[in-house]
Amino acid sequence: MRKTSSSIRQAGVTLVEAAAVLGIASVMVGVAVPALGDLRDTRLLEAATAQLRTDIHHARSTAVAMGQTVRLHVHDEPAGSCYVVHTGMAGDCSCQPSGTTLCTASAQPLRSVGHAQASGIAIRSNAGSLAFDAFQGTVTPTGSLTVAHVRGDRLRVVVNVMGRARTCRAAGTLHGHPAC
């Protein structure tokens, strides 16, 4: 028995089908890429805020452990922002967005974090320097530190008189953080 050309089944994909699949895939990738950039920016902001909270808790516990006042000083300038955790008086240490820390002979830097303008992260404080007490871990003055992303999202770290820090959403559409 001989098969005719109409009874032979073809296997494979036609050029039109392959082009249609490629077109659909490129549209899906075009939609997903901006969302991944937003996700990266959100995680960068949340990571910088978590690091700041950790350093606040570290400053408080270090003050009590060392038996001396420990300060957290925030510096913001057009090139970026930074903060330094140090011993000594309020003006004894300063930092640069590049991460460089300068202290007088009587002060000791314990930790310094810088965010250059290119990172998109900026840290600002309503108090120039927070001082953690050596005996009770309390802070003077109380304050709030805002971690902002150039996109407009902002998280605020509020430090109460007991030296404890909490995070809230100051601006933007970040989920998982209570509004301030």
Side-chain angles (χ1 to χ4, degrees), residues 98-158:
S98 63
T100 307
T101 304
L102 304 169
C103 293
T104 63
S106 61
Q108 176 184 5
L110 303 174
R111 172 117 170 102
S112 181
V113 174
H115 295 282
Q117 182 183 18
S119 73
I121 298 292
I123 299 176
R124 294 177 183 90
S125 176
N126 67 348
S129 179
L130 302 176
F132 294 88
D133 181 68
F135 301 106
Q136 298 175 341
T138 57
V139 67
T140 306
T142 60
S144 64
L145 300 102
T146 303
V147 183
H149 191 275
V150 294
R151 186 180 69 197
D153 291 331
R154 290 193 316 257
L155 291 174
R156 184 171 294 144
V157 178
V158 180

Side-chain angles (χ1 to χ4, degrees), residues 152-175:
D153 291 331
R154 290 193 316 257
L155 291 174
R156 184 171 294 144
V157 178
V158 180
V159 184
N160 70 14
V161 71
M162 295 305 296
R164 295 189 180 106
R166 68 177 175 86
T167 303
C168 59
R169 181 182 69 244
T173 59
L174 297 170
H175 301 289

